[in-house]
Amino acid sequence: MFGYYLDLALHSLTRNKVLGALMVLAIAVGIGACMTTLTVLHVLSGDPLPGKSGKLYYPQIDPQDARGMMPGTLAPEQVTLIDGMNLLRAKRADRQALMAGGAVPIQPGSSSLDPFYVEARYTSADFFAMFDTPFLYGRGWTGADDEAHARDVVITRQLNDKVFDGADSTGRSLRLGGITFRVVGVLDSWRPNPHFYDLTTGSYNYYEQAFLPLQTALELHFAKNGSNDCWGNGTGGVEGNAYPSATCVWLQFWVELDSAAKAAAYRQFLVHNSEEQKALGRFQRAPNVQLRNLMQWLDYNRVVPGDVRLQAWLAFGFLLVCLVNTVGLMLAKFLRRSGELSVRRALGASRRALFAQLLTESGVIGIAGGAGGLLLSLFGLWMVRHRASDYASLAHLDPAMLLVTFALAIGASLLAGILPAWRACHVAPALQLKSH
């Protein structure tokens, strides 16, 4: 029967092309606007490390002085160098990484390339295993290399292609800031979005091309990127040092904990650590700690721009308006066919059969509207990619959203067709047959 209903639906659409085109257009415009904004929201609110994000946590402690202290004051979003190193060396998590953003000058060995700057990440050895970074060649450095202030560097595939023509560069030398480093690894394509592990340098479409041991970068006074917050007299860097003073928070600290029990134990460790630091006179406030997993951390920082969420709601509202118009058009179309439907009822067709026939026609309209909406959403995403925003280049339709486009179009058209189909099926056949 479905094939028969489908044939009737196609015949009906071709019989009244103008009305059919208006219904398809109404669905297409609504779906196009809705899927454009929904795709952007989907891209920006996605999990940057699927399968791993629930095990990654961002600890927060509060080393600030008592000035300006108020109930409910939030802990700083970064850590001081002293606290970061204490937490790192405590090794109370499965893995831990202390880091900061930076920038380093590259002096290529080839005379055909001029020196240039790249974004860098100064971090500790667990960074690569903790964040599941894929390696094209080599590996990361070790904890012993951290302590030895090793002149090791991990570079990205892009930088490797530029400096070493894509060859396996592990073991080769690369000069950073006038210092010779040994390449120990080359990362394959890895650009997590959002840039979750350091939101101070950029939320989207930000990536580093060189990864150095943190203690090495500190020793060499390599330039840092990102923000820092200070209190008391620590409003600037120590004389002769490129980094903020001891009373400034400016580093990020992440831990990996593979169970809820370990997370609870680590949070308790943070409380005890704060109590110990207060007893020593370093901390002045009562323990104020937080331990959020990766997705909670992104929600806490409101990484998804508020205007994107608002646009998504407005687009759904616009789709609703389009559906109301579609209901009116379908009602007019179906009621004009009351005579035809009454003849079918007189020949023995049930109301259920007529209802299924009309809903099939609504579904066909939805499929056609989905195809039109897909084209409009592709155009809309192309326009988004030309906007001046850090996430613009990420606006692409993936296979999942492609399926959502047609599912939403068909579902919307079926919903719009319920009332018109019900009304058309309940027209009294006797009156229609008598008038004909």
Side-chain angles (χ1 to χ4, degrees):
M1 289 297 291
F2 178 74
Y4 175 61
Y5 294 155
L6 187 61
D7 184 62
L8 288 177
L10 294 173
H11 179 70
S12 175
L13 288 176
T14 56
R15 187 170 54 188
N16 196 331
K17 297 179 181 180
V18 174
L19 197 56
L22 287 175
M23 289 187 288
V24 170
L25 181 61
I27 294 289
V29 171
I31 293 297
C34 194
M35 289 310 302
T36 298
T37 58
L38 196 60
T39 298
V40 173
L41 181 62
H42 166 72
V43 169
L44 300 188
S45 60
D47 187 343
L49 286 182
K52 192 67 180 288
S53 59
K55 300 178 182 179
L56 300 178
Y57 293 84
Y58 193 84
Q60 291 174 262
I61 56 177
D62 193 350
Q64 300 174 97
D65 59 28
R67 279 178 287 185
M69 182 173 61
M70 297 177 62
T73 300
L74 300 176
E77 296 186 4
Q78 301 182 96
V79 296
T80 66
L81 179 58
I82 294 174
D83 293 316
M85 295 304 295
N86 287 342
L87 294 174
L88 181 68
R89 287 169 176 160
K91 297 184 178 179
R92 289 307 219 31
D94 298 324
R95 294 188 178 100
Q96 45 272 308
L98 181 65
M99 66 191 77
V104 293
I106 305 290
Q107 288 98 25
S110 172
S111 58
S112 61
L113 287 176
D114 293 328
F116 58 93
Y117 270 87
V118 296
E119 303 296 331
R121 174 71 23 188
Y122 314 140
T123 185
S124 50
D126 282 349
F127 178 94
F128 306 103
M130 189 160 67
F131 295 144
D132 286 343
T133 58
F135 276 88
L136 182 64
Y137 305 117
R139 55 169 180 78
W141 60 84
T142 66
D145 295 328
D146 276 331
E147 295 300 325
H149 299 197
R151 302 295 197 263
D152 291 338
V153 62
V154 171
I155 62 176
T156 62
R157 184 173 193 163
Q158 180 183 4
L159 183 57
N160 188 65
D161 289 344
K162 184 173 183 178
V163 178
F164 298 107
D165 296 324
D168 183 355
S169 58
T170 54
R172 297 180 65 174
S173 297
L174 180 64
R175 290 184 65 80
L176 309 177
I179 308 296
T180 300
F181 280 73
R182 179 173 63 100
V183 177
V184 295
V186 177
L187 291 183
D188 207 343
S189 301
W190 188 69
R191 294 185 183 180
N193 278 295
H195 188 251
F196 66 92
Y197 52 84
D198 183 3
L199 298 174
T200 69
T201 53
S203 297
Y204 295 98
N205 210 25
Y206 181 92
Y207 60 95
E208 299 90 356
Q209 296 192 57
F211 298 80
L212 291 69
L214 175 63
Q215 295 190 61
T216 303
L218 294 175
E219 180 183 62
L220 298 175
H221 295 174
F222 280 171
K224 70 171 285 290
N225 287 338
S227 66
N228 54 269
D229 294 308
C230 305
W231 59 92
N233 295 322
T235 56
V238 177
E239 186 177 353
N241 196 331
Y243 303 105
S245 68
T247 54
C248 297
V249 290
W250 58 281
L251 296 113
Q252 305 81 48
F253 184 67
W254 285 87
V255 296
E256 180 178 344
L257 303 161
D258 63 9
S259 70
K262 288 184 178 180
Y266 197 86
R267 191 182 189 285
Q268 196 59 41
F269 160 69
L270 294 176
V271 173
H272 290 160
N273 177 75
S274 296
E275 291 172 342
E276 290 175 358
Q277 294 299 315
K278 186 177 181 182
L280 293 171
R282 281 198 63 243
F283 289 10
Q284 298 182 26
R285 304 186 180 191
N288 180 17
V289 305
Q290 291 290 338
L291 187 66
R292 297 180 173 90
N293 66 28
L294 193 158
M295 296 306 293
Q296 291 170 340
W297 178 244
L298 295 180
D299 289 340
Y300 171 73
N301 282 276
R302 298 180 181 177
V303 170
V304 179
D307 61 331
V308 172
R309 295 187 185 276
L310 178 61
Q311 288 167 9
W313 283 111
L314 291 176
F316 273 109
F318 182 68
L319 176 60
L320 182 61
V321 172
C322 292
L323 288 183
V324 171
N325 290 328
T326 304
V327 169
L329 293 170
M330 284 187 180
L331 191 60
K333 180 177 176 61
F334 291 169
L335 290 179
R336 286 176 61 182
R337 295 167 56 195
S338 297
E340 171 194 334
L341 298 175
S342 297
V343 170
R344 287 204 62 207
R345 284 291 311 281
L347 294 175
S350 64
R351 284 178 176 171
R352 177 178 295 180
L354 295 181
F355 189 75
Q357 173 192 336
L358 295 177
L359 278 189
T360 301
E361 186 170 333
S362 299
V364 171
I365 293 171
I367 293 174
L374 176 62
L375 295 177
L376 290 175
S377 62
L378 290 174
F379 175 71
L381 292 173
W382 177 81
M383 292 183 65
V384 170
R385 289 195 294 273
H386 286 76
R387 290 175 54 185
S389 62
D390 57 355
Y391 62 80
S393 63
L394 304 175
H396 290 276
L397 197 71
D398 59 22
M401 297 309 291
L402 178 63
L403 293 177
V404 170
T405 300
F406 283 98
L408 184 61
I410 295 172
S413 63
L414 290 176
L415 185 64
I418 290 176
L419 177 62
W422 183 86
R423 287 285 304 275
C425 291
H426 282 75
V427 173
L431 293 177
Q432 293 295 322
L433 293 174
K434 183 178 180 180
S435 64
H436 283 72

